Amino acid sequence: MSDALVYLSALMVGVLGLSRLVLVRHDGVIPAVRHGTTFALTQAAAMVVAAPESIALIGRRGPFPNAPVLIGDLLRLTAAGSLLLLADHVPAAGRTRSGWPRAVAALVRPPLGRLVLPVAVLLFLCARTGELHGAETATGDAHRLLLAGYDLTVMLYTCCCLAVLAAALRRCARELDDGLLRRGVTLLRVSVLVGTAWAAWGTDDVVDVLRGGIQQGGEDPVSAVLGLACVSVAVLGATVSLWSPVTRAVSGWLADYRRYRALGPLWQTLHRQLPQIALRTPSRWRAWLPPLYAHFALYRRIIEIHDAQLVLRTAADGATAGPAPAPGSGPGSADLRLEAETLLRGPALPAAPATRAAVPAPAPARSSGRTPGGAR
């Protein structure tokens, strides 16, 4: 289960990074996008390598025991460094820092920040870890302390980089007006906070190593859930610009489909008496499926109801009922939703009798704008 969550999170981060890769290849791309893309790709690679199944697969061919663990952590540290560079290019991030953000930034920036990778590699190799049923083992008190120091170095550096980015996003959100951009920045900050909890969960590895000298390789279930939550919120924040058109399209489709279904009983009653009003009769199995273009389906249903009303009105006046108007005639540019509400407020038609008797005509609907060939 944890493997599936890790791979799903890696896929989401990778797709987000690849979608930005096209922008990075063009000249003039802003540095924030470049650093964000670097973080997404390296973090996706780190999550794939750190999955338990990947560790079991790569570990058999590694140059030394637990090589996938070291490779995954180095990729994670590289991703954290990209977040540190991203924080420098967030709007309003260049202002003078005070308090803990300035102190934390001083710990992870050069020259101290450049020592993290070599120190982590040195600690891991000196710990001389072994492997036992997919877990890392360290024998002896000195090796345990070295492995615990390695885990603590990776965890603290990642948390510090995330804290610097969270502070920069907080300052940026304060200066933005309320809107989609501010909501996106706020979601990204929430994602960073969840990511900090995700990184801080590595303290359980430190405790396990100090207690028994054994550390479970890869992501545990809690870490996998925190990673998926962090990635999901980050994707929502990074794609906030797509929300408005998507929500408008979905809400418009739902509104048209609701009116299309509401007109169903009236249309079925008229269609049983006048089958020729149907511009197109769908097959039996397609009749149960919602229309892909609800706006066009609603337009066609209103046209067919108007055609039936014309025939019934002519019959009620004592004239001979002629053929139904040509298919495709309908209310020119009338608002479909207003037209549908007008039809729904009209008197309901009774159920069709056994004989083909004339059905009482509903309240006259607007038809002054009907022109041949008005439907498209």
Side-chain angles (χ1 to χ4, degrees), residues 59-360:
R60 305 189 189 102
R61 304 177 182 178
F64 50 87
N66 300 312
V69 177
L70 178 60
I71 295 173
D73 288 338
L74 291 180
L75 288 172
R76 186 177 290 111
L77 291 175
T78 303
S82 300
L83 291 181
L84 194 62
L85 296 175
L86 175 62
D88 291 336
H89 295 88
V90 173
R95 297 190 176 182
T96 303
R97 300 182 180 90
S98 59
W100 67 265
R102 185 174 184 178
V104 170
L107 292 176
V108 293
R109 295 184 185 279
L112 293 178
R114 294 175 181 173
L115 300 176
V116 174
L117 286 177
V119 168
V121 173
L122 183 62
L123 289 173
F124 187 86
L125 294 179
C126 291
R128 295 183 180 181
T129 60
E131 185 178 353
L132 179 64
H133 303 299
E136 304 168 54
T137 60
T139 58
D141 294 339
H143 292 165
R144 290 184 184 183
L145 291 175
L146 290 173
L147 183 57
Y150 164 79
D151 292 334
L152 198 61
T153 300
V154 174
M155 182 196 66
L156 289 179
Y157 180 78
T158 304
C159 290
C160 289
C161 292
L162 288 169
V164 173
L165 179 60
L169 292 175
R170 182 166 177 257
R171 290 191 300 272
C172 178
R174 284 181 174 179
E175 296 194 356
L176 293 175
D177 297 331
D178 190 16
L180 286 179
L181 184 57
R182 183 173 183 178
R183 296 173 192 171
V185 173
T186 302
L187 284 175
L188 290 177
R189 182 168 176 264
V190 172
S191 173
V192 171
L193 295 178
V194 177
T196 305
W198 178 21
W201 184 251
T203 52
D204 69 327
D205 293 334
V206 178
V207 174
D208 292 340
V209 170
L210 293 178
R211 284 181 177 178
I214 297 178
Q215 172 182 310
Q216 296 297 328
E219 302 280 359
D220 57 14
V222 176
S223 180
V225 171
L226 289 174
L228 181 61
C230 172
V231 170
S232 300
V233 179
V235 170
L236 289 177
T239 59
V240 70
S241 60
L242 303 177
W243 290 8
S244 183
V246 171
T247 53
R248 282 200 304 266
V250 172
S251 61
W253 187 92
L254 291 175
D256 292 334
Y257 181 64
R258 181 181 63 82
R259 290 171 175 83
Y260 173 83
R261 289 292 303 272
L263 289 175
L266 175 61
W267 180 88
Q268 292 174 2
T269 302
L270 295 173
H271 183 260
R272 280 194 294 266
Q273 299 299 321
L274 300 170
Q276 65 270 31
I277 66 173
L279 301 179
R280 186 180 65 181
T281 303
S283 58
R284 182 172 300 179
W285 67 272
R286 289 188 62 184
W288 292 93
L289 298 177
L292 180 60
Y293 303 101
H295 185 76
F296 177 76
L298 175 64
Y299 189 23
R300 187 175 61 199
R301 177 155 287 185
I302 291 177
I303 289 174
E304 294 170 352
I305 291 175
H306 273 288
D307 291 343
Q309 285 180 337
L310 288 180
V311 175
L312 294 175
R313 191 183 298 111
T314 303
D317 292 341
T320 303
S329 60
S333 59
D335 182 29
L336 293 183
R337 295 178 184 175
L338 179 60
E339 195 73 28
E341 297 295 340
T342 303
L343 292 172
L344 291 173
R345 285 197 298 266
L349 294 177
T355 59
R356 297 177 61 85
V359 181

Side-chain angles (χ1 to χ4, degrees), residues 14-30 33-34 36-38 40-41:
V15 170
L16 180 62
L18 290 175
S19 65
R20 299 297 186 268
L21 185 60
V22 178
L23 298 176
V24 176
R25 295 177 59 184
H26 292 289
D27 295 332
V29 65
I30 58 177
V33 176
R34 183 181 298 107
T37 303
T38 303
L41 297 180

